[in-house]
Amino acid sequence: MIARTSGAAIRGILVALMVLTPALYLPVSSTNGTEIVVFLAILAFILTFAEYNSAFPSFIEFRDAPPVNRLRFVGLMSMITFLTLICKNAYAPTELTTFFYSMGLSVANVVDFPYSPVRLIVLMLPADSSLALVELVRITASVAYVAALVTIASFAYAVKLKGWPTGNGAFNVWTNLPLFDPTKGGDVVARLQRDGRLNICIGILLPFLIPAAIEMLTNFANPISLSNPQTLIWTLSAWAFLPASMIMRGMATLRIAGLIVEKRRAYSTNETTQAA
C-alpha cells in the first residue's frame, strides 16, 4: 500500500513538473497564464496519482506493463525540454541553449526535406511570418519529430529484442487495456490485430494529415499562432507525440495478439499430444 501510494505520488509530481517546464523557463503571454499553467499541473498530478494509486484501472493503458508508459513519458518530457531550451535561446541565450539550438539546426538540415512532415509544418505558417519564426518552427518541429522516432524505436527494441511483455510476468488484459472489452464479440485476436494495424496506420499518417487539416481550417477560423513560445512547444509536442503514442499502442496490441496466438497453438499441441 505504501509503495503504491509513494510510486503514484512520484509519477504525479513528474507529470506536474513536465507541465510546468515551459512556464518555468519562458515568458507567460497573458496575466492569467501562470494561474492556468499551475491549475493544469495540479490537475495532471491529481489524475496521475488517482490512476496509479487505485487498484482498479480507469483509462490509462499498459500501466502495469513497463516500459510503455515510461517511454511515453520520457519521450514527451524530452520533446518539451529540448523545445523549451531551443525557444529560450531567443530570449536569454546561454551556452546550454546555444548548444541545443545548434543541435536542432543540424537535425533540421537532415529531417527537413521536400514532402516531409517537418516541411508541411513549415508550409502551414502564414505567408507573412518572419524568417526567425519560420526557422524556429523548422528546428523545433524537426527535434520533436526525431524525438518521437527515437521513442518508437526504443519500444520496438523492447518488443523485438527484450520480448516485452513476457519479462514482466503474466499480462493482465483488464488492467493494461481497460478500454478493451474482450467479451464484446468476435475473435479477440482478430480485434486486437485490427486495432493494432489501424493505430499504426493512423499514427503514420497523422504527422502529414494534421498540417493539412490546420491549413484547411484557416479558411474558416483564425490559424493557431505559433509566435508564442509556449503555444509553439505544446502544439509541436502534440503533433509529434500523439502519432508516436498511437504507433506504440498498435505495436503493443499486435504483440499481445501474437502472444495469444502462441498460447492457443501451445494449448492445441498439448491437447493433440495427450489425445495421441
Side-chain angles (χ1 to χ4, degrees), residues 87-145:
C87 291
K88 186 177 175 60
N89 188 70
Y91 297 93
T94 63
E95 291 185 2
L96 181 63
T97 60
T98 303
F99 169 77
F100 276 95
Y101 188 89
S102 302
M103 181 186 69
L105 183 59
S106 300
V107 172
N109 292 333
V110 175
V111 179
D112 181 22
F113 53 87
Y115 306 106
S116 70
V118 175
R119 181 63 60 86
L120 294 179
I121 286 289
V122 175
L123 295 176
M124 180 190 71
L125 294 172
D128 57 349
S129 299
S130 64
L131 293 177
L133 177 60
V134 172
E135 187 69 6
L136 183 61
V137 170
R138 174 175 171 266
I139 293 174
T140 51
S142 301
V143 172
Y145 193 67

Side-chain angles (χ1 to χ4, degrees), residues 37 74 85 98 106 108 116 122 128 130 149 151 155 160 181 247 265:
V37 171
V74 171
L85 293 173
T98 303
S106 300
S116 70
V122 175
D128 57 349
S130 64
L149 293 179
T151 304
F155 183 63
K160 296 296 184 180
D181 185 7
I247 292 174
R265 187 180 296 115

